[in-house]
Amino acid sequence: MSGPDIQDAITSAHRDEWARVIASLTKRFGDLDIAEEAAAEAFATAVEKWPADGVPPNPGGWLTTTANRKAIDRLRRESKRDDKHKEALVLTDDDPPEPLGAIEDERLRLIFTCCHPALAMETRMALTLRMVGGLTVPEIARAFLVQESAMGQRITRAKAKIKAARIPYRVPAAEDLPARVSGVLAVLFLVFNEGYLATGADTDPVRHDLTAEAIRLTRLIRALLPNDGEVAGLLALMLLTEARRTARISASGELITLGEQNRGAWDAALIAEGHRLVRERLAAGVAPGRYQILAAINAVHTSARDVRDTDWSQILALYDQLARLDSSAIVLLNRAIAVAELDGPEVALADVDRLEEKLAGYHAYHAARADLLRRQGRSEESRAAYDKAIELAGNTAETAYLTRRRDQLG
Amino acid sequence: MQYLVSVIDDKVNPGSDDRQPAISEFNERLIAEGYWVFAGGLADTESATVIDNRGGQAVFSDGPFVESKEYLAGVWVWETPDLDVALKLAAEASKVCDRKIEVRPFR
């Protein structure tokens, strides 16, 4: 195998096996820190050895075995200082496998641990992206728009709390599951979004590894809780979004907005599955939550064969419904975009401008303003807004799109 | 694993003062289920005395070490297998005491 092929093999092993290696080591050693460090060492060893020795036939098995050895080496080194560790090591060496909880997926145990309610929501997301998604600390820091050092500390503190407070490594009992699921869904949605609109100058604009992982895990949760409307809603939302993925980036790596996408390139099977889930939730007759409403909005978008057929009044009605549950500035910004289609850019701009205080640091706010100003022929103001949006946008495809739109201004 | 379970009262907005029978009943259950290690209610913060003998001569001062509207009204020590069990009991304890509860592991 040549150099680039080895690089691909390492990249795909990282994507496919990272969480599995972490989960397997966490189960065995009961310590996220040891698991993470040993997994990182195992991947570093792969980078060193695979180019010379070739890719092993079972990369996941090789990585898990190597990581296990690294973890044991570390514990042995530490056991020279501490007899209790040695004792722990001997005990864990022949541990019988623990019975699995309600969900038979190691990664879900890992997710429920990382998404424990005793951790702050931001911490849960960061920890899940690191331990389950395998993102690096700098990538996560960019996703959260915080300093790398601050993000590193947050993750370190979270692992320390899990250890010190003895947050269990397990899927919660069946009766506790519904209450714990909402936090997990929030995290999975964030993982999905980070994949769908990846931040950072050096990453691909779309990270299919992350969107696929978020969908896979949401499917697993849905299999377990088939009557949970929000699980179904989030899955539908992800599928309807993922269906448009390939139509969303041009050959030159530029973002193509919903209105300009080639709808023939959308994934019909994913759309059909998403629509089926949305219909199922409508038929259930239960008041929908946030994800179900977002899924319904996406169902309306993806039902239109041409952007001109979009039922904007239905979309606006859904945003109004959403705003009653969650009147955050971002929801109101998206609502304003629907308002622009129905009542024109001037009315929408007045709505958008009211959000300035809360969204001044958010690129989508400036991008929306730039578009509304452009549609009113206010070129100079539009250019300034595009400049601000470009400065704040972290996604390369989005930056390319915004730059072209700005440069097209007369 | 042992946890210090602190009962937090609020001087501005205190919890109800008729909780003792419910707390006793809850304690009985903690004992029966094997979680109970120790428990005690604390007297008013006004009864506290702070001693500082780091400077060569002990200085005694009247009152709690920190003045705040929230204060420690009582403690439990529980022995549970993990945080989830402690959190479940703490959620019940908060109802039973009509006060906020903090759960912290011992080192």
Side-chain angles (χ1 to χ4, degrees):
Chain A
M1 232 186 256
S2 63
D5 290 336
I6 296 280
Q7 192 49 50
D8 282 353
I10 291 170
T11 305
S12 69
H14 191 270
R15 183 185 58 221
D16 298 338
E17 307 296 345
W18 171 266
R20 210 190 305 270
V21 174
I22 294 277
S24 152
L25 266 73
T26 305
K27 188 179 169 194
R28 174 156 179 199
F29 298 101
D31 187 315
L32 283 176
D33 241 342
I34 290 175
E36 189 198 343
E37 197 167 290
E41 279 184 51
F43 278 97
T45 309
V47 171
E48 209 176 280
K49 290 207 164 158
W50 291 5
D53 302 353
V55 177
N58 174 2
W62 187 96
L63 287 162
T64 306
T65 307
T66 306
N68 260 303
R69 233 178 264 143
K70 300 278 181 197
I72 289 169
D73 286 349
R74 176 176 156 177
L75 285 170
R76 289 226 166 93
R77 281 197 303 276
E78 284 174 3
S79 74
K80 287 184 184 137
R81 298 194 297 266
D82 184 351
D83 279 348
K84 264 166 76 182
H85 271 112
K86 189 183 262 168
E87 198 182 326
L89 181 64
V90 173
L91 282 173
T92 49
D93 251 342
D94 302 313
D95 243 7
E98 275 179 58
L100 290 178
I103 303 166
E104 297 192 330
D105 187 309
E106 287 291 313
R107 268 177 277 201
L108 275 177
R109 287 161 53 113
L110 191 58
I111 288 179
F112 274 103
T113 305
C114 293
C115 299
H116 196 278
L119 302 170
M121 184 53 94
E122 285 186 338
T123 305
R124 290 183 219 173
M125 293 172 173
L127 199 60
T128 304
L129 287 171
R130 175 76 196 116
M131 306 307 287
V132 187
L135 268 72
T136 62
V137 172
E139 283 171 332
I140 302 166
R142 273 200 299 271
F144 283 90
L145 306 173
V146 300
Q147 292 290 317
E148 205 176 307
S149 55
M151 184 51 71
Q153 270 176 13
R154 186 185 295 169
I155 292 172
T156 304
R157 274 200 304 269
K159 285 188 294 193
K161 178 166 183 179
I162 287 173
K163 194 174 175 180
R166 198 172 289 192
I167 287 176
Y169 177 61
R170 67 156 175 255
V171 174
E175 72 264 25
D176 299 327
L177 209 43
R180 289 274 301 275
V181 149
S182 66
V184 171
L185 296 184
V187 171
L188 292 178
F189 191 35
L190 186 100
V191 173
F192 181 87
N193 279 332
E194 178 53 23
Y196 198 68
L197 207 66
T199 45
D202 304 326
T203 48
D204 285 338
V206 178
R207 297 191 49 192
H208 181 54
D209 52 337
L210 290 181
T211 58
E213 181 69 359
I215 289 173
R216 194 189 75 84
L217 293 167
T218 309
R219 279 191 196 283
L220 276 169
I221 295 178
R222 174 160 163 77
L224 191 84
L225 295 170
N227 298 319
D228 187 307
E230 283 295 85
V231 176
L234 180 61
L235 180 58
L237 173 59
M238 287 179 177
L239 294 173
L240 293 172
T241 312
E242 178 78 356
R244 308 196 299 258
R245 181 170 58 88
T246 48
R248 218 172 123 259
I249 308 283
S250 74
S252 61
E254 187 180 303
L255 183 80
I256 305 172
T257 56
L258 182 58
E260 292 166 340
Q261 285 169 19
N262 168 16
R263 298 187 172 217
W266 288 353
D267 186 322
L270 289 183
I271 288 177
E273 189 186 354
H275 285 184
R276 215 162 38 239
L277 285 164
V278 171
R279 280 196 302 273
E280 180 191 307
R281 290 315 308 162
L282 283 173
V286 183
R290 176 165 175 256
Y291 299 121
Q292 290 166 82
I293 297 171
L294 286 170
I297 290 168
N298 275 275
V300 176
H301 279 303
T302 47
S303 296
R305 287 199 183 166
D306 187 288
V307 65
R308 283 165 299 190
D309 302 333
T310 306
D311 185 348
W312 288 104
S313 57
Q314 204 183 341
I315 288 177
L316 186 60
L318 286 163
Y319 272 118
D320 284 336
Q321 200 179 352
L322 183 59
R324 283 196 290 276
L325 290 181
D326 167 17
S327 60
S328 69
I330 289 175
V331 169
L332 296 178
L333 177 68
N334 287 317
R335 182 187 176 279
I337 292 165
V339 167
E341 300 301 325
L342 287 165
D343 301 330
E346 280 173 43
V347 180
L349 186 62
D351 286 351
V352 169
D353 281 343
R354 273 196 289 275
L355 305 170
E356 184 186 359
E357 199 186 325
K358 282 179 181 142
L359 295 182
Y362 181 47
H363 75 275
Y365 163 78
H366 298 284
R369 276 196 83 234
D371 186 55
L372 295 170
L373 288 163
R374 179 188 58 78
R375 284 152 77 173
Q376 293 174 64
R378 293 160 68 177
S379 301
E380 277 316 301
E381 291 163 273
S382 175
R383 189 188 312 280
Y386 275 122
D387 284 340
K388 191 77 193 158
I390 291 162
E391 183 193 323
L392 293 168
N395 182 272
T396 52
E398 207 167 13
T399 308
Y401 165 77
L402 292 168
T403 307
R404 182 173 61 81
R405 289 316 292 248
R406 180 195 62 192
D407 296 347
Q408 278 173 347
L409 284 169
Chain B
M1 185 82 187
Q2 291 196 333
Y3 295 88
L4 177 69
V5 180
S6 306
V7 181
I8 302 157
D9 208 345
D10 185 326
K11 285 184 175 152
V12 181
N13 186 20
S16 41
D17 55 9
D18 55 353
R19 311 310 298 166
Q20 203 47 58
I23 293 170
S24 297
E25 198 180 312
F26 182 63
N27 276 333
E28 304 271 316
R29 223 194 84 202
L30 290 172
I31 294 166
E33 294 176 5
Y35 301 127
W36 199 90
V37 176
F38 172 83
L42 295 173
D44 264 349
T45 52
E46 282 78 46
S47 65
T49 310
V50 172
I51 302 96
D52 185 354
N53 195 14
R54 295 170 302 175
Q57 190 180 357
V59 177
F60 298 85
S61 50
D62 178 36
F65 74 99
V66 57
E67 280 293 353
S68 67
K69 76 185 183 69
E70 290 190 329
Y71 67 100
L72 189 63
V75 296
W76 270 286
V77 177
W78 294 342
E79 171 83 45
T80 68
D82 58 44
L83 185 67
D84 278 358
V85 179
L87 291 182
K88 221 172 196 174
L89 292 170
E92 286 182 54
S94 171
K95 256 206 169 69
V96 167
C97 300
D98 190 28
R99 275 152 184 89
K100 290 205 286 189
I101 301 285
E102 180 189 291
V103 176
R104 257 173 88 184
F106 279 90
R107 234 195 263 270

